[in-house]
Amino acid sequence: MSIKKNKLRNRFSREASQSFININSSLENDKFLFNEDIEASIAHATMLSSQKIISNKDAKNIISGLKKIKSEIKNKKFIFDDNLEDIHMNIEHRLAELIGQAAERLHTGRSRNDQVVTDLKLWMKKDNRLISKKIKKLKLSLIQVANKNISILFPGLTHLQTAQPISAGHFFMAYYEMFNRDTIRYSDAFKRINENPLGAGALAGTNFPINRNKTTKMLGFKRPTRNSIDTVSDRDFVVDFLSSSSLLAVHLSRLAEEIAFYCSDLVNFFKIGDQLMSSSSIMPQKKNPDGAELIRAKASLIQGNLSSMLSLLKSLPLTYSKDLQEDKVLVTSSSKNIHLCLDCMYELISSIQINKTIAEQKLKFSYANATELADWLVLNLGYSFRKAHNLTAQIVNFAEKKNINLNKISMKDFQKFDKNIDKSVYETLDLKNSINNKKSYGGTAISEIRKMISLARKELKNEKY
Ligand code: ARG
């Protein structure tokens, strides 16, 4: 039930219908902007008075009224009303109740169209920093886990089949790199969002002698936006956020999938803390990695939001249309889920234990060192790689039939395949050697991983917000 009069309806002969109020109100989805709305209004009122567009006295009253409203909202004393459409009109209405006529001067030289983009950008700038800090924390924990487990021999997979031996440290540093690029994506997005929309007005600018540089400085933006039409129409900064978040969520989801897979009792390479698992209502033995599974699920919601925003924008003519109001629910939904995923993934990684015995045992009973044998034939017997590949495949078949590993094949048997194969082949087949011989830049040799870990540590030290 509406209790307040919407002052924007003076031209209408009929009150808004309930169904219209319901669809038109964005209050539930933009209440969260109250702090930023008040901050921007204080900057606007201060600028208006310093430009002599409103009196100092009115500005003072406006500012103290706004501060009171902020505390009312914080203390849950504020009465919201859907008939007043959104957070902006709710605050403006209350300001008039508190200070009377002066409140009506606040909206001089601005429109809700530039107001809402200003509020949203202010909120999103803060959120961008919070997310980047959380990614940094996660990256630090990945470095720690990589460093701690650097000497564990781990089966590297392609197609989910054992491919080549790697260091477990290399595995975790792969995710470090992905999250590091996410950091860069958020920081690029930050640069683009850092322009002040306030003063664009409804679409065309304003007749009043406003000073956009002043509000830009007061609100901590880098510069004012340069085209009033673009300012109120576009939401590419929202797409930037939703797309950076989608990619971050994809990385989180892939890591979550690895955790769920390697924690499966069929594989048992990883163990995560009991505090991050739940049990079954019927099977008492169960420990399920629900946190990891939910990270995987949230990634789809986050991607859905990106897709919704792109569809929402793609056929919109200039300038503002009410469709744009739906941006906020997408932003808050993705933000909430990204925070949940980052918090949980940080705990998952911090609690992870690698089962060295099982991982190394599995690796030993695989043919992960077959490529080493092919390389050895190329390097020592002058085979072409294709020929070496072919011969190695036959040797693997032989070993598989005998149910032994490649380094358990006797020299006599090796020489049945090629009489020039000699004992040095066993050194090549050694799993540790296989890892440490991969010294190519970015390869899995422990010396390389150590180099990358120290680069990463330096990088993180220089990451400042
Ligand atoms: N609640 C609106 C939104 O979020 C504010 C802008 C309203 N502008 C308008 N011309 N009706 O987009």
Side-chain angles (χ1 to χ4, degrees), residues 54-228:
I54 64 172
S55 69
N56 283 343
K57 194 170 154 235
D58 282 349
K60 256 194 189 156
N61 281 336
I62 289 172
I63 292 168
S64 71
L66 288 169
K67 287 183 176 160
K68 181 155 193 328
I69 292 173
K70 189 166 162 177
S71 83
E72 284 180 357
I73 298 178
K74 280 195 170 147
N75 298 322
K76 305 207 182 322
K77 298 262 159 62
F78 191 93
I79 301 166
F80 290 100
D81 186 341
D82 278 324
N83 193 37
L84 297 177
E85 301 187 10
D86 53 29
I87 185 65
H88 323 291
M89 295 313 295
N90 271 267
I91 290 179
E92 191 179 311
H93 189 280
R94 178 68 185 139
L95 191 62
E97 280 177 357
L98 287 172
I99 66 166
Q101 269 209 330
E104 298 187 355
R105 299 194 187 279
L106 173 60
H107 214 53
T108 317
R110 78 170 183 189
S111 150
R112 266 187 301 166
N113 294 354
D114 56 346
Q115 189 180 356
V116 69
V117 191
T118 307
D119 296 359
L120 187 57
K121 279 189 169 182
L122 285 172
W123 187 90
M124 287 175 68
K125 276 176 64 180
K126 285 181 214 152
D127 194 49
N128 180 301
R129 292 313 201 202
L130 290 177
I131 292 173
S132 298
K133 275 187 194 158
K134 287 188 182 176
I135 303 177
K136 181 175 181 180
K137 215 169 129 185
L138 176 59
K139 287 190 293 187
L140 274 167
S141 70
L142 281 165
I143 292 179
Q144 253 165 21
V145 174
N147 199 39
K148 187 175 145 202
N149 299 295
I150 199 164
S151 58
I152 296 183
L153 315 177
F154 203 79
L157 311 183
T158 62
H159 312 272
L160 260 192
Q161 305 287 327
T162 307
Q164 293 185 331
I166 54 169
S167 144
H170 204 42
F171 174 98
F172 288 101
M173 287 307 286
Y175 280 97
Y176 171 88
E177 293 295 333
M178 294 179 227
F179 293 125
N180 205 35
R181 288 191 295 276
D182 288 318
T183 304
I184 297 168
R185 264 183 285 274
Y186 277 96
S187 110
D188 285 346
F190 189 90
K191 286 179 205 142
R192 284 188 290 275
I193 204 174
N194 208 5
E195 294 186 339
N196 180 18
L198 200 57
L203 75 158
T206 175
N207 300 329
F208 295 97
I210 59 168
N211 180 347
R212 294 191 66 200
N213 288 328
K214 178 152 179 114
T215 51
T216 296
K217 210 165 168 200
M218 282 188 80
L219 296 172
F221 285 107
K222 185 103 196 262
R223 62 181 87 85
T225 54
R226 295 193 309 193
N227 181 299
S228 57

Side-chain angles (χ1 to χ4, degrees), residues 26 30 86 88 112-113 116 320 322 325 328:
S26 57
D30 60 24
D86 53 29
H88 323 291
R112 266 187 301 166
N113 294 354
V116 69
Y320 178 87
K322 205 58 177 263
Q325 175 161 284
K328 283 163 288 297

Side-chain angles (χ1 to χ4, degrees), residues 391-407:
L391 185 63
T392 306
Q394 290 171 38
I395 298 175
V396 170
N397 277 346
F398 169 82
E400 199 177 46
K401 256 190 216 133
K402 288 194 96 178
N403 198 20
I404 55 171
N405 195 261
L406 294 181
N407 50 2

